[in-house]
Amino acid sequence: MTRLTRRQFATIAGVGAATLALPTYLRAQGKPRVVVIGGGAGGATAARYIAKDSEGAIDVTLIENSETFTTCFFSNLYVGGFRSFESITHSYDGLQSNYGITKVTGMATGVDRANKVVTMADGASVPYDRLVVSPGIDLIWDSVEGYSEEAAEIAPHAWKAGPQTQLLKAKLDALENGQNIVMVTPPNPYRCPPGPYERASMMAHVLKEKGHTDSKVFIIDPKPKFSKQGVFMEGWEKHYPGMIEWYGPDVHGGIVSVDVNAGSVETDLDTFEGALLNVIPAQKAGAIAATAGLTNDSGFCPIQPESMRSAVDESIFVIGDACIAGDMPKSGFSANSQAKVAAMNVRGDLIDSKVFPAKFANTCWSLIETDDNIKVGAQYAPGDGKIASTGGFVSQTDEEAALRKTNYEESLGWYAGITADMFG
């Protein structure tokens, strides 16, 4: 099996203590202090690279509300039965023991930008010289009429990995032959553009493996097209004939509402009914970004593409799903790549280390069926006031099975590499 080594992963990605909850956090006085909010692909990577490459010269605190982190990327493979839940769940222990990073388990609720202090839900305060904000996304519940946070316990979104992912899989595994799934996908921009369509593939895979070929997956999409559409649809026809039906707005005419208790999605065309509803609403930057005044009218955070520095505060960097990253999609790979650029600039600010021109990369792999994996990706650099694509690639229709299998093996190596890169 071909796997990416950690060094190979670092190359394609463009590599350019104990939990505390104190009333006031003051540690390692005399060292510059960096606080990172969010412990995902962006935040964990940024914390590690700032601590590792400053060789202890910078005091790094990582604030994350969870004790462990479950990756949203590869969670579809858990839904499809290709991964265990434990295999996509990771500890922060390595960041603390190997790099001296202080992990604060709690919720950041405010940022006093004038005094450079992060406030916590428990009343603690954490001062900083530089702040990295990587809170991921929040869901806009009322973007789908009838949906809510409470409704998500019946019709899971599973767009934040963890208990929602487990709930979705449990409901999928409980379906009987002839029972249908209705998925409502989000409008642009949203986390992981190919993600809903890989999920539909994994759902169909589970149904087919059980012999439930009388069941269908209906995809109700507010967008007229989606990432890798041609190769997805070719794969659906090949592996799941008649089982996946995609409806764009030109056909369904508009999503009117959902009724999670009735298991229905009403559109201008028809009412679609399913024993399982998977509703993925519109998205915005994680709440702390708006609270800190870092977002614009889009709900996301403008940044300086040369550095990932906030466009509204020179002392703050915004990375990952929360930022407006130009041509880069909202993905784990993107967040990891942006984190390294931000970390380099943080070190340049605080310890006068060398800062090189920013380069970024991303690849998104999607599994359609066993050993049939497709991908899309690009390289990026600052240009025209944004992060701009400088070249890319995408899987094509009619590719050889051996190539698709190699894509899958490559994705496994990437997952091992990125999680090691995040968590040390």
Side-chain angles (χ1 to χ4, degrees):
M1 179 178 289
T2 302
R3 291 180 182 268
L4 297 183
T5 66
R6 294 182 187 180
R7 179 170 294 182
Q8 288 170 328
F9 168 76
T11 299
I12 65 173
V15 170
T19 298
L20 298 180
L22 304 177
T24 301
Y25 172 67
L26 293 171
R27 187 169 74 87
Q29 293 190 32
K31 288 184 181 181
R33 298 166 300 192
V34 173
V35 174
V36 181
I37 299 176
T45 304
R48 178 172 177 260
Y49 272 79
I50 293 167
K52 175 177 71 73
D53 292 344
S54 69
E55 298 179 338
I58 298 175
D59 182 65
V60 181
T61 298
L62 176 64
I63 298 173
E64 165 59 46
N65 197 38
S66 300
E67 293 283 358
T68 58
F69 183 77
T70 303
T71 58
C72 208
F73 51 93
F74 267 47
S75 64
N76 285 334
L77 273 63
Y78 161 69
V79 171
F82 289 87
R83 303 281 294 209
S84 68
F85 189 76
E86 291 73 23
S87 76
I88 60 170
T89 301
H90 303 271
S91 168
Y92 293 101
D93 291 349
L95 293 181
Q96 298 176 85
S97 61
N98 297 334
Y99 304 100
I101 294 166
T102 298
K103 165 67 162 55
V104 175
T105 302
M107 180 70 72
T109 55
V111 178
D112 181 344
R113 287 167 37 199
N115 293 304
K116 294 186 178 179
V117 173
V118 176
T119 55
M120 304 290 294
D122 63 0
S125 58
V126 190
Y128 65 86
D129 295 297
R130 291 294 182 272
L131 175 64
V132 179
V133 178
S134 187
I137 52 102
D138 270 353
L139 303 173
I140 305 175
W141 299 105
D142 60 3
S143 65
V144 179
E145 181 68 31
Y147 199 58
S148 65
E149 190 168 4
E150 293 73 27
E153 296 305 309
I154 301 171
H157 55 80
W159 224 238
K160 292 185 177 184
Q164 275 277 304
T165 319
Q166 293 174 303
L167 177 61
L168 179 66
K169 180 166 177 55
K171 286 180 172 286
L172 172 64
D173 290 345
L175 292 180
E176 298 178 359
N177 191 25
Q179 292 185 313
N180 296 327
I181 300 166
V182 185
M183 174 188 288
V184 176
T185 59
N188 293 322
Y190 64 98
R191 166 182 283 172
C192 190
Y197 313 98
E198 180 187 54
R199 179 177 288 176
S201 305
M202 293 295 93
M203 288 174 163
H205 167 80
V206 170
L207 295 173
K208 188 176 83 169
E209 287 290 295
K210 291 185 172 184
H212 294 353
T213 53
D214 293 332
S215 296
K216 291 181 179 291
V217 181
F218 296 105
I219 304 172
I220 314 301
D221 206 326
K223 305 177 297 297
K225 60 182 180 179
F226 59 88
S227 177
K228 298 185 277 190
Q229 183 167 350
V231 281
F232 268 117
M233 287 188 159
E234 177 193 58
W236 294 342
E237 181 61 29
K238 176 182 178 181
H239 299 296
Y240 315 114
M243 292 183 67
I244 301 178
E245 297 184 10
W246 177 79
Y247 293 85
D250 291 344
V251 176
H252 64 65
I255 300 167
V256 177
S257 65
V258 302
D259 185 333
V260 299
N261 292 307
S264 63
V265 177
E266 182 183 354
T267 73
D268 285 344
L269 171 69
D270 201 353
T271 297
F272 295 83
E273 296 183 345
L276 170 56
L277 299 190
N278 176 207
V279 180
I280 310 168
Q283 293 152 39
K284 59 184 178 180
I288 190 65
T291 301
L294 303 176
T295 57
N296 63 16
D297 290 344
S298 72
F300 294 95
C301 304
I303 50 93
Q304 299 176 23
E306 297 81 11
S307 61
M308 302 306 300
R309 199 182 303 271
S310 168
V312 301
D313 192 316
E314 290 286 311
S315 297
I316 299 177
F317 296 77
V318 186
I319 56 178
D321 296 341
C323 76
I324 300 171
D327 294 340
M328 292 190 83
K330 298 185 185 300
S331 74
F333 200 143
S334 291
N336 174 268
S337 181
Q338 294 159 13
K340 293 167 186 174
V341 171
M344 175 178 61
N345 281 274
V346 167
R347 296 191 307 270
D349 284 2
L350 298 180
I351 59 173
D352 200 30
S353 63
K354 182 71 173 177
V355 176
F356 297 94
K359 293 182 180 180
F360 306 89
N362 176 67
T363 302
C364 292
W365 290 268
S366 301
L367 189 61
I368 299 178
E369 176 57 294
T370 305
D371 290 333
D372 190 355
N373 193 288
I374 58 177
K375 63 181 181 178
V376 60
Q379 297 76 45
Y380 308 86
D384 299 323
K386 66 177 184 178
I387 300 177
S389 174
T390 58
F393 56 87
V394 63
S395 293
Q396 303 298 309
T397 55
D398 298 319
E399 290 178 332
E400 295 290 334
L403 176 58
R404 296 290 183 83
K405 183 177 181 180
T406 298
N407 288 347
Y408 179 57
E409 293 169 350
E410 183 182 78
S411 76
L412 298 179
W414 170 80
Y415 187 88
I418 193 175
T419 50
D421 207 43
M422 291 163 59
F423 301 109

